[in-house]
Amino acid sequence: MIGRLSGTLAEKNPPQLLVDANGVGYEVDVPMSTFYNLPALGERVVLLTHLVVREDAQLLYGFLSHEERAAFRQLVKISGVGPRTALAILSGLSVAELAQAVARQETGRLVKVPGIGKKTAERLLLELKGKLGDSIAAPAAPHGDAQADILQALLALGYNDREAAAALKALPAEVGVSEGIKLALKALAR
């Protein structure tokens, strides 16, 4: 219903803003990524919005970019993920980082966000797979498909992101998946 809000930034109290649009003050909740890029108080601001109508409230969420709003909308479609959780995810990860985590199926990056447990992270990755591509330009995995598979295998074996990434750096560029896993495990065993 309300897709965009343009007005004067009247108040900033993280994560909420008050935007004065021709004498009407709109309370808008924003992710911290948007909050940090806002203009100073009294200056003009334009936010893309998403309105949530509930039985007990009408809540307005604002974003500075189309990508953030698209990611938010994809997140709130997932069972068990409400607007507050979606804001927390977008506050903890940039849209590019979220898309990269989904592309690489990295639960470790999502569980670092407050309020996201392992099961929720796994559900997010499953539900978002292939859905962030059109609205969000997901960065390509810099190491190619084989290394992405090797990384996934190491994470599944219980290694953390840092350990797995360090092991990947030590691998030859054109290594196959099975050989790469063997070499990575040898490097991690040292």
Side-chain angles (χ1 to χ4, degrees), residues 143-151 168 173-177:
H143 303 296
D145 290 337
Q147 291 212 353
D149 289 342
I150 296 166
L151 175 67
L168 276 180
E174 298 301 321
V175 70
V177 176

Side-chain angles (χ1 to χ4, degrees), residues 84-168:
R84 290 277 172 213
T85 304
L87 276 189
I89 292 168
L90 292 174
S91 293
L93 296 170
S94 72
V95 176
E97 289 170 336
L98 176 61
Q100 188 175 37
V102 170
R104 293 182 180 176
Q105 295 292 292
E106 296 173 332
T107 56
R109 291 179 84 174
L110 292 176
V111 296
K112 293 176 184 171
V113 175
I116 304 294
K118 186 170 174 56
K119 287 187 179 184
T120 303
E122 288 170 352
R123 188 171 62 246
L124 284 168
L125 293 177
L126 180 67
E127 296 271 344
L128 290 174
K129 191 169 189 172
K131 293 184 180 174
L132 295 179
D134 295 337
S135 58
I136 302 160
H143 303 296
D145 290 337
Q147 291 212 353
D149 289 342
I150 296 166
L151 175 67
Q152 195 58 32
L154 294 174
L155 293 173
L157 289 170
Y159 292 99
N160 66 35
D161 289 336
R162 188 177 41 80
E163 293 168 332
L168 276 180

Side-chain angles (χ1 to χ4, degrees), residues 16-103:
Q16 196 169 71
L17 312 175
L18 184 65
V19 178
D20 183 337
N22 295 324
V24 179
Y26 291 91
E27 290 179 346
V28 184
D29 287 353
V30 298
M32 295 312 290
S33 53
T34 291
F35 191 85
Y36 293 134
N37 292 307
L38 289 170
L41 289 177
E43 290 189 28
R44 190 147 188 78
V45 66
V46 177
L47 296 170
L48 298 168
T49 60
H50 180 86
L51 178 66
V52 174
V53 179
R54 294 190 328 214
E55 194 174 294
D56 61 340
Q58 293 182 13
L59 305 167
L60 196 58
Y61 297 92
F63 311 91
L64 286 176
S65 71
H66 289 282
E67 292 80 15
E68 272 187 325
R69 182 171 69 174
F72 178 85
R73 286 178 170 170
Q74 287 296 334
L75 287 166
V76 295
K77 287 179 185 177
I78 298 170
S79 174
V81 177
R84 290 277 172 213
T85 304
L87 276 189
I89 292 168
L90 292 174
S91 293
L93 296 170
S94 72
V95 176
E97 289 170 336
L98 176 61
Q100 188 175 37
V102 170

